[in-house]
Amino acid sequence: MPLRGALAGPRLLLRRLREVMAEPVNPQARLDKIVVHIASNMVAEVCSVYVLRSDGRLELFATEGLNREAVHLTTMRAGEGLVGLIAESAEPLALADAQSHPAFSYKPETGEEIYHSFLGVPILRGGNTLGVLVVQNRARRTYSEEEIEVLQTTAMLIAEMIASGELQSIVRPGSDIALRRPIALKGSAIAEGVGLGHVILHEPRVVVKHIVAEDLKKEEARLADAISAVRDSIDRLIDRGDQAGPGEHREVLETFRMFAHDQGWLRRLREAVMTGLTAEAAVERVQNDARAKLQRRTDPYMRERLHDLDDLANRLLHQLTGEPFVTANEDLPDNAILVARTMGPAALLDYDRKKLRGLVLEEGGPSSHVAIVARALGIPAVGEIANVTDLVEKGDGIIVDGSTGEVQLRPSGDVEAAYAEKARLRARRQEQYRKLRDAPSVTRDGVQIDLHMNAGLLVDLPHVEEAGAASIGLFRTELQFMVASQFPRMNAQLALYRAVMDAAGERSVTFRTLDIGGDKILPYMQTFEEENPALGWRAIRIGLDRPGLLRSQLRAMLRAGAGRELRIMFPMVAHAAEFDAAKDLVEREIAHLSRHSYDLPRALKLGVMLEVPAILWQLDEILARVDFISVGSNDLIQYLFAADRDNKRVSSRFDALSAPVLRALKVITDKAALTRTPVTLCGEIGGHPLEAMALIGVGYRGLSMTPSSIGPVKAMVMAVHEGELRALMEELLARRDGAASIREELRAYAEAKGVPL
Ligand code: PEP
Ligand code: MG
């Protein structure tokens, strides 16, 4: 622990710098004064500030000690020389003999050859490097830990100056400082559409404005109070979690608790306050280091833990500044684009839909729950953009292209105009699809292809009409469970199913029983560690092992379907006997309801989802039992190729448009035709025109998809000839060339025939 007396120097420096910050002088004069103060306080002959420009070069912005003529002339690449090395590594570097360091590179115009010792620190903000602050001495000397700390603290003030935009006016003409530069990012497309707007941070980071402490004792006390308040709130959350049963959430909270008591972390915070910072600036300062480290970690476990530490620091900052944790709806601009590290589906539903133009996430792949909700709400969304919350500032211009996965941050006028045009074109195309809404979905040779929609939430219901869907071909009942904070009771389920059937009117609704487990986790339900959750305890397996759960859901469905046709299907059936057991539960519920004089559905149709390859060799048994089949191609394909649908490394490795998949899919329609059992396919591929075209060629007459896909798929259907497609598929699937994909052949065919894709 450093002595209080030893810190008098740094505190004095901070106070001086604060005065300089408040002086009404131009930015260059301010920066010039700052370097003089730092040099004199640290007894250094040189102090220089390098600022990172948008072209990736570091430019000398001010110096005391080096040749003044070099200011705004000397530049270097990140990675070049000692300054470039610091910018790249985001770590301090202290050297007694700088010139013997392998990275040393000499800029003659600066006249730095006479200085031997060198101390440089990154200028960090929100984990981003904005520049480098350097002191140099003629004599060979070793800089102490305290001196490094002091320089890091001072760098925070300069970071604020850069972030305020003040320095933009003195950058060399034609270049920008990096902080405000436009950035093009690429993630994964999770909900299509193009949105232009301004950044709103979900759970925003606190921007620390008061950096220098007025009264050290007071700041120490504020820090101690805030830490104990945050600890208490974590304990309370854990206690509450204990009552609801352990869940995934708990692990995160336990990690929070561990960090909140971590002596190393607490000591670093206290030491930062001792150098003269306010409590919030101390948290920011310590966290800046952690964030910079986080960005260089590749080990996913450590990244996750450091993310947790970052969240904890954010809680502490909110506690200290009293700023609200979540952006309130009143603060949303009319064209808000939400940027978040992660987000639960319920949190997204809390925002005012009318004001949201897009969503950008650091985590969250295409099948994450929040992605499902974003698609249901029609909000363009992009996921898996590393570090994006650190790259943006509230209010920044931003464009989200949920069809390509591109995000343009602070776009230039040209880029913005190009995307605005894209958005207009898309709107025009949507208008054309709307015109197709009432047109029959029939191929050129008169074969009817029914286009149904997938749904799962109340917000989906208006789409039934808008999209002109033939029916709701898949209603994912688990979504209600996933957005709730506790198990929805039977009455809540009943109310939702009734509302869905009412909204569907004459159209039928196919309810799928709870499909949880695997990637679909309910935070309030007890989970078990499983090595391979996708192959584990999920869907109908849970339903049959916990019949109480399934029975109350069946009861809600049967009551909602009173007097109407009710269609129920079971997910992940792997064996005909599982269907029998599920059907048995339905019959028991019917008996129960009859006994209590409830009205029953006018007709009941029971089906299975074909998602597990084992069913391909039980089609005879299954077809003899069911009223219909729905092919869940998302799961079926992942199991056929043994490639996790959510694992980016492998999910795009195999093509659905390939012989093994299409042959398997054809076996299903061929067999079902013999018993005249209706077959629909409700996985993602049904909503892509090219894939849907191939599916028609292997016998599919019903496809269920996200509502926005119905227009494009219908346009394709109306342009193809079923007989021709069937012949084409027969020819392609008869080939034995071992090709991994037949996508190009199909695309060429569509192009030749003028089929819109
Ligand atoms: C499927 O597996 O194709 C399917 C429609 O179900 P889910 O995507 O909900 O698993
Ligand atoms: Mg599935």
Side-chain angles (χ1 to χ4, degrees), residues 474 476 512 515 520 609 611 632-635 645 682-683:
L474 163 65
R476 291 180 161 107
R512 171 173 79 184
D515 184 8
K520 296 167 185 164
M609 283 198 73
E611 305 181 277
S633 52
N634 301 340
D635 277 313
R645 64 197 253 192
C682 61

Side-chain angles (χ1 to χ4, degrees), residues 637 641 652-661 691 740-743:
I637 295 171
F641 283 127
S652 56
R653 203 178 179 93
F654 305 100
D655 197 347
L657 290 181
S658 60
V661 174
E691 279 84 341
S741 170
I742 56 165
R743 182 172 294 274

Side-chain angles (χ1 to χ4, degrees), residues 554-615:
L554 293 171
R555 190 173 301 177
M557 287 174 185
L558 287 162
R559 283 186 54 190
R564 324 190 222 210
E565 179 186 276
L566 176 66
R567 296 166 60 85
I568 301 176
M569 63 184 177
F570 303 102
M572 300 292 300
V573 170
H575 203 284
E578 288 179 329
F579 175 77
D580 291 341
K583 187 173 175 185
D584 192 47
L585 292 179
V586 176
E587 278 161 3
R588 279 207 259 166
E589 278 313 307
I590 292 177
H592 171 86
L593 291 175
S594 308
R595 259 200 317 277
H596 292 86
S597 314
Y598 282 102
D599 280 347
L600 290 173
R602 173 169 54 73
L604 178 64
K605 304 268 188 241
L606 298 181
V608 297
M609 283 198 73
L610 203 164
E611 305 181 277
V612 179
I615 295 293

